[in-house]
Amino acid sequence: MAGHSKWANIRHRKAAQDAKKGKVFTRLIRELSVAARQGGSVVEDNPRLRAAVDKALSNNMTRDTIERAITRGAGNSDSDAMEELVYEGYGPDGVAILVECMSDNRNRTVSEVRSAFNKYGGNLGTSGSVAFLFHKQGRIVLPSGIPEDRVIEATLEAGAEDVQSRDDGTLEVVTTPSEFGLVRDALDQAGIEVMRSEVGMFPDSYSGIDDVETARQIVALFDRLEDLDDVQNVYANADFEPHVLEALEEAS
């Protein structure tokens, strides 16, 4: 839908603000450690770790900090106590929401997530209630003005699944999680600038939101979930109409 890329930009600006507060670093270190624990510390052989390293670098984390997190994870220290959890639910107006967590206390985490849903007009669902609406992919966003043919030529053999033009003139390269690192490397070798990149859960379709008050309630739910210490990522299929986005930007 038309507003999706603009909403994504708003979310990434918020992530940048959170990074300044140190919130993002805690989550990135957690992800680096767990990825190294599960798949090994060699970045080239561990797609999940490669994605985590790229995300950490894009958030201006130093390589020394990254290496310490990887070493800690590979050494099976306190990262062993962390359990990966996924919660699913619906927000206002039936928006599907997927919440990825890492926790050392499952009861605490589910209680906090449920409380957030209840407070902001949503409800926590059962396992599988919305997960089928999302698929794990790599997404690499490129600045406007780069010829699409050049991007296709650079990434096709590396395993890119698609190259999409976005509403704001930027391009988005879609990959499988396993091919994400190879495609990112191919873009670097071709001298093509990358604005941002991530591996995450992306919806197959979007739910249009055209009411400003409903949108504000959805955003409040997102913000509350993202403020929880155990929450790593929040994904949703909300797509705000242009006039709704304008109202949200004016209020931010």
Side-chain angles (χ1 to χ4, degrees):
M1 288 189 177
H4 169 59
S5 62
K6 296 174 184 175
W7 170 240
N9 290 340
I10 292 175
R11 302 305 295 168
H12 281 285
R13 283 203 298 272
K14 182 185 182 301
Q17 293 169 355
D18 286 347
K20 295 176 183 177
K21 303 173 189 174
K23 292 180 181 179
V24 170
F25 272 28
T26 300
R27 292 169 181 167
L28 290 172
I29 288 171
R30 200 179 291 162
E31 170 64 16
L32 287 162
S33 296
V34 171
R37 183 192 77 197
Q38 293 185 349
S41 61
V42 180
V43 176
E44 293 78 9
D45 298 334
N46 185 341
R48 178 176 177 178
L49 182 58
R50 169 61 192 272
V53 169
D54 282 351
K55 189 171 184 179
L57 290 172
S58 70
N59 281 278
N60 299 315
M61 182 179 286
T62 66
R63 289 193 177 274
D64 283 347
T65 302
I66 292 171
E67 287 300 325
R68 283 197 297 271
I70 293 173
T71 299
R72 185 176 67 181
N76 294 322
S77 59
D78 58 349
S79 62
D80 275 334
M82 302 303 294
E83 181 181 9
E84 294 185 272
L85 306 167
V86 178
Y87 297 104
E88 307 169 40
Y90 288 95
D93 207 29
V95 168
I97 300 176
L98 202 64
V99 186
E100 293 181 340
C101 304
M102 287 189 188
S103 172
D104 58 1
N105 186 323
R106 177 188 289 257
N107 292 333
R108 177 194 66 224
T109 305
V110 69
S111 175
E112 291 177 345
V113 170
R114 180 181 288 110
S115 176
F117 272 94
N118 292 342
K119 183 175 182 179
Y120 294 100
N123 61 282
L124 191 63
T126 58
S127 178
S129 58
V130 304
F132 69 95
L133 297 171
F134 296 81
H135 284 92
K136 195 162 194 175
Q137 293 178 321
R139 298 283 182 101
I140 305 171
V141 180
L142 312 176
S144 59
I146 299 176
E148 188 172 336
D149 289 348
R150 182 185 172 202
V151 176
I152 293 173
E153 182 180 355
T155 61
L156 188 60
E157 290 189 6
E161 291 193 327
D162 196 11
V163 177
Q164 303 172 350
S165 297
R166 291 155 47 106
D167 297 335
D168 56 3
T170 59
L171 295 176
E172 186 170 65
V173 182
V174 181
T175 80
T176 64
S178 60
E179 303 298 332
F180 171 82
L182 294 175
V183 174
R184 179 66 197 261
D185 287 343
L187 289 167
D188 290 341
Q189 291 166 10
I192 298 175
E193 179 187 355
V194 171
M195 290 175 60
R196 63 176 178 267
S197 61
E198 63 180 318
V199 173
M201 300 296 290
F202 294 90
D204 295 325
S205 61
Y206 292 87
S207 176
I209 306 296
D210 59 8
D211 179 73
V212 174
E213 288 307 314
T214 300
R216 287 178 176 147
Q217 196 173 16
I218 293 170
V219 172
L221 174 54
F222 289 171
D223 288 345
R224 177 57 186 149
L225 288 168
E226 289 175 342
D227 281 341
L228 297 177
D229 289 340
D230 295 339
V231 171
Q232 287 290 105
N233 299 294
V234 180
Y235 304 106
N237 70 343
D239 185 45
F240 300 99
E241 297 297 332
H243 73 279
V244 173
L245 282 170
E246 289 177 9
L248 292 176
E249 287 186 308
E250 288 173 2
S252 62

